[in-house]
Amino acid sequence: MNHRIEGVGTNRQSLIARKMLTYNKRQFTENMTGRTIAMLCAALLVIVVLSITYFIASKGLSTFFVDGVSISEFLTQVKWDPEGEPALYGVFPFILGSFLVTALAAVIAAPLGIGAAIFMTEIFPGFGKKVLKPVIELLVGIPSVVYGYVGLTLLVPFIREQFDVLGFSLLAGGLVLALMILPTITSVATDAIEAVPQDLRNASLALGATRWQTIWNVVLHSALPGCLTAVVLGMARAFGEALAVQMVIGNTTKLPGSLLDPISTLTSGITLNMGNTIQGTPYNNALWSMALLLLLMSFVFIMILRFLGRKRLVK
């Protein structure tokens, strides 16, 4: 009896082994189909990115190779008058305005976002994860035009009354952008802080460190690459924002002398003027050159993010 049971078991194992070793045409076809679809999707994404880059570059470089505008004058001149005689294509005020409003938004939003992430993960995790985090994530879904309209109706009049200025200013743009990028910074920083191993916290507390010393010297130090990634992501969004900023900054090509002066950015300059130009004219090509600058800055932000991600992975 035992020999018969052992024989049946051996035959069943042999049958299973033969099935596993047998060439399965259907499985092979499914694997090849899935791999082909995945490769086609990846290739399509690469083609789309290269096509967009080529299209913008071909349009933007026409300003220098077809219209004869000097690259140095284009980047450093402070006078923008494409319809004048002679035409002037100085985009330095737009570049400066984009960097200033992005830097101001990051300076305001980074401490608030990282502080909120610390509160939600280290100080009051129950309330933070159940109430505060969902509320902050809801801000991501608000359209940018809503932020701009709120800034236009509340923030601009407030600045005008308090400082006796026009109200449309670098400060208004920075505050609106800070509110827009705050959810991004908070969410990414929260994930980075939560990824810190609990053993590091326990070891710090066991050595006699207070909770704040543990947060400052251990948790934040370990999550620093992730927090920097959060700030860079927020800056990337702020640098490319158009509508919300356009509604509150005043859109003037003069260089700002203070936070209360109106400015203009690359995005606002493109959106305000592109509809008033004719394809192929020097004016239109200059706007495409500004779009090319935005694309190059996007690549720079992506490279910074890749570097920070690699550094975090190595650590």
Side-chain angles (χ1 to χ4, degrees):
M1 187 68 179
N2 292 334
H3 293 290
R4 184 178 299 175
I5 295 175
E6 291 178 358
V8 172
T10 302
N11 293 334
R12 183 176 299 176
Q13 291 179 358
S14 301
L15 180 61
I16 294 175
R18 285 197 302 271
K19 288 184 176 181
M20 293 178 65
L21 295 175
T22 303
Y23 176 76
N24 193 330
K25 185 176 181 181
R26 178 180 178 183
Q27 185 178 5
F28 176 78
T29 304
E30 291 177 352
N31 291 337
M32 289 301 299
T33 302
R35 183 180 301 179
T36 303
I37 293 175
M39 292 181 63
L40 288 175
C41 293
L44 179 62
L45 289 176
V46 173
I47 293 173
V48 169
V49 172
L50 292 178
S51 300
I52 293 175
T53 304
Y54 173 77
F55 178 76
I56 297 177
S58 62
K59 291 281 188 177
L61 294 177
S62 298
T63 302
F64 314 113
F65 297 104
V66 177
D67 302 325
V69 178
S70 172
I71 297 179
S72 60
E73 293 180 357
F74 182 79
L75 297 176
T76 58
Q77 273 191 357
V78 298
K79 184 67 174 178
W80 173 261
D81 188 12
E83 298 178 327
E85 291 293 338
L88 300 174
Y89 301 99
V91 298
F92 182 74
F94 300 98
I95 299 174
L96 181 63
S98 295
F99 277 103
L100 287 178
V101 74
T102 301
L104 180 60
V107 168
I108 297 173
L112 295 176
I114 296 175
I118 293 174
F119 178 82
M120 289 190 295
T121 56
E122 304 294 327
I123 306 300
F124 207 157
F127 174 80
K129 293 180 180 179
K130 293 180 180 179
V131 179
L132 189 57
K133 188 175 182 179
V135 171
I136 292 177
E137 290 177 349
L138 284 176
L139 297 176
V140 179
I142 299 177
S144 59
V145 64
V146 176
Y147 286 105
Y149 188 70
V150 171
L152 181 63
T153 55
L154 297 179
L155 186 58
V156 171
F158 176 79
I159 296 176
R160 182 186 301 123
E161 294 174 0
Q162 294 297 320
F163 300 100
D164 194 21
V165 292
L166 184 61
F168 297 94
S169 59
L170 169 62
L171 178 61
L175 291 174
V176 170
L177 276 183
L179 183 60
M180 292 183 63
I181 67 176
L182 182 61
T184 302
I185 296 177
T186 304
S187 298
V188 179
T190 299
D191 295 337
I193 294 174
E194 287 180 342
V196 177
Q198 185 62 34
D199 292 341
L200 294 180
R201 299 178 178 88
N202 296 336
S204 177
L205 295 173
L207 291 173
T210 63
R211 184 167 67 168
W212 173 246
Q213 289 173 334
T214 300
I215 294 173
W216 182 259
N217 296 315
V218 177
V219 177
L220 282 181
H221 180 77
S222 301
L224 182 60
C227 294
L228 292 177
T229 300
V231 176
V232 174
L233 278 174
M235 293 180 65
R237 183 188 178 188
F239 197 87
E241 181 57 42
L243 185 57
V245 178
Q246 176 184 322
M247 297 172 69
V248 298
I249 59 175
N251 303 297
T252 179
T253 56
K254 295 182 180 180
L255 295 177
S258 67
L259 292 176
L260 301 176
D261 290 341
I263 61 168
S264 187
T265 63
L266 289 169
T267 52
S268 63
I270 294 171
T271 54
L272 287 174
N273 298 311
M274 186 63 78
N276 302 323
T277 62
I278 301 175
Q279 290 287 338
T281 59
Y283 191 176
N284 183 265
N285 291 335
L287 295 178
W288 280 109
S289 300
M290 295 167 64
L292 179 61
L293 287 177
L294 281 174
L295 181 64
L296 294 177
M297 283 306 306
S298 299
F299 290 159
V300 170
F301 282 121
I302 292 172
M303 291 175 61
I304 294 174
L305 290 174
R306 296 279 294 181
F307 172 76
L308 292 175
R310 185 177 303 173
K311 184 177 180 181
R312 178 173 54 182
L313 187 62
V314 169
K315 283 191 174 182

